[in-house]
Amino acid sequence: MTDHSPVVPDHTAVRVALWRALHTLADPPPHVLDDEIGLRLADPAEDWRARPDMDVAGTRTYRAGIVARARFVDDLVLERARRGTTQFVVLGAGLDTFALRHPDLAARLRVFEVDRPATQDWKRRRLLDLGLGTPENLVFVPSDFESEHAWWARLVAAGFDPGRPAVIASTGVSMYLTEAANLATIRQLAKLAPESAFAMTFQPPLELLEAAERPGRLMVEERARATGTPFVSFFSPDRLLELAREAGFRDARHISAQLLNERYFSGRTDGLRTTNAEEFLLATT
């Protein structure tokens, strides 16, 4: 049997986990998100804060965007769970820690993490190494999003019930997928049971970014290409809203960087804020 497990996890998943940790360690309170479990999972070298991509000042807006998007999804899931939703699906989960950070929800919320088999194998091993194990309400669903319907079939086979309301989250994924794969996902999720919600981050085209963000986008794109994970899909907010409504979602909203800043960074004196380099589509059935 061939062993497909990687020696290290996906570098993007690790960076996201470390930025979330850096927020707690380097930014003054109140913290938008506290996620020390992600740091333990990532298990970086002792000098990880000396990495160029962990520079406190240089990564300020990226770090803010990462914690804001995680907190937005947390808030959405918690609010829906209070209303009776019992299923939460994380597409492209990486080192997501929602199920670990919210053990109080274990009895009433089943969490499905969908990601590449190798990433999930590595994560399982780290959970065992840390003595955490896999929470009873956490289900790993190994799949590749570029295979149009495979991930959906595997999700249902893993116990997901399409006939019951759910929250589906896809953060930091859409830009790595082809437009066809993104559209297939939107169309599939528009068929979810009524009162379901789909939260998806997207990256606008370069010309729609705030001017100060454009050099950073170009640099990030170049690094992504160099590591074999190029950005291939960009959407304007209006285009994505149109696609969601055409797919059959009852309601679709653009959650802008301005709204995220007002909700999570208002009143801060350290200047921490996110930008429109990545924003949300929130669609409901």
Side-chain angles (χ1 to χ4, degrees):
M1 180 179 294
T2 302
D3 181 10
H4 297 289
S5 302
V7 177
V8 293
D10 178 81
H11 67 93
T12 303
V14 170
R15 184 184 302 117
V16 167
L18 296 185
W19 273 341
R20 287 163 65 152
L22 190 62
H23 172 58
T24 301
L25 296 171
D27 297 323
H31 295 124
V32 176
L33 188 84
D34 286 305
D35 186 10
E36 59 87 19
I37 297 176
L39 178 60
R40 293 169 64 195
L41 276 175
D43 192 29
E46 289 187 7
D47 64 346
W48 67 272
R49 291 187 60 175
R51 290 171 38 162
D53 60 352
M54 292 297 130
D55 178 76
V56 173
T59 64
R60 184 183 303 272
T61 58
Y62 300 110
R63 187 168 69 250
I66 292 299
V67 297
R69 80 186 193 190
R71 176 63 181 276
F72 179 80
V73 170
D74 270 25
D75 289 350
L76 175 65
V77 177
L78 294 173
E79 187 270 333
R80 292 287 175 139
R82 285 192 292 269
R83 291 165 49 181
T85 295
T86 58
Q87 302 181 108
F88 173 38
V89 180
V90 190
L91 302 181
L95 300 187
D96 188 85
T97 59
F98 180 91
L100 298 163
R101 290 184 290 109
H102 297 283
D104 53 310
L105 292 177
R108 54 195 175 98
L109 185 69
R110 201 170 191 197
V111 180
F112 299 85
E113 292 191 1
V114 184
D115 211 334
R116 293 175 178 173
T119 298
Q120 294 195 334
D121 288 346
W122 186 93
K123 187 173 182 178
R124 286 176 186 269
R125 290 201 304 273
R126 283 299 300 149
L127 289 171
L128 289 173
D129 291 344
L130 293 170
L132 297 173
T134 302
E136 290 185 6
N137 67 325
L138 176 59
V139 181
F140 289 106
V141 184
S143 192
D144 185 344
F145 294 113
E146 290 293 351
S147 180
E148 185 171 336
H149 297 295
W151 69 269
W152 176 255
R154 290 175 182 172
L155 177 62
V156 173
F160 178 79
D161 184 352
R164 292 162 51 202
V167 174
I168 316 290
S170 173
T171 60
V173 175
S174 65
M175 63 277 201
Y176 297 114
L177 303 180
T178 63
E179 182 168 313
N182 278 302
L183 295 183
T185 297
I186 291 171
R187 290 172 182 144
Q188 181 65 65
L189 296 180
K191 302 173 186 176
L192 288 169
E195 302 304 320
S196 295
F198 174 42
M200 165 186 159
T201 61
F202 65 95
Q203 296 212 3
L206 187 68
E207 63 270 16
L208 295 185
L209 295 190
E210 299 171 15
E213 288 303 306
R214 294 174 189 173
R217 158 69 74 76
L218 293 172
M219 179 182 67
V220 170
E221 282 193 64
E222 178 55 38
R223 288 178 178 173
R225 279 192 295 270
T227 57
T229 54
F231 291 5
V232 294
S233 291
F234 303 96
F235 296 96
S236 71
D238 288 345
R239 173 61 174 156
L240 204 50
L241 290 173
E242 178 185 23
L243 292 172
R245 290 166 182 151
E246 288 178 352
F249 279 102
R250 173 177 56 83
D251 181 63
R253 289 194 293 149
H254 169 215
I255 306 299
S256 67
Q258 179 180 350
L259 189 152
L260 293 173
N261 283 323
E262 290 171 355
R263 181 175 297 183
Y264 300 122
F265 301 106
S266 179
R268 294 188 70 97
T269 59
D270 59 353
L272 192 66
R273 62 183 291 276
T274 188
T275 72
N276 74 333
E278 186 175 50
E279 299 186 312
F280 268 102
L281 164 72
L282 177 59
T284 54
T285 56

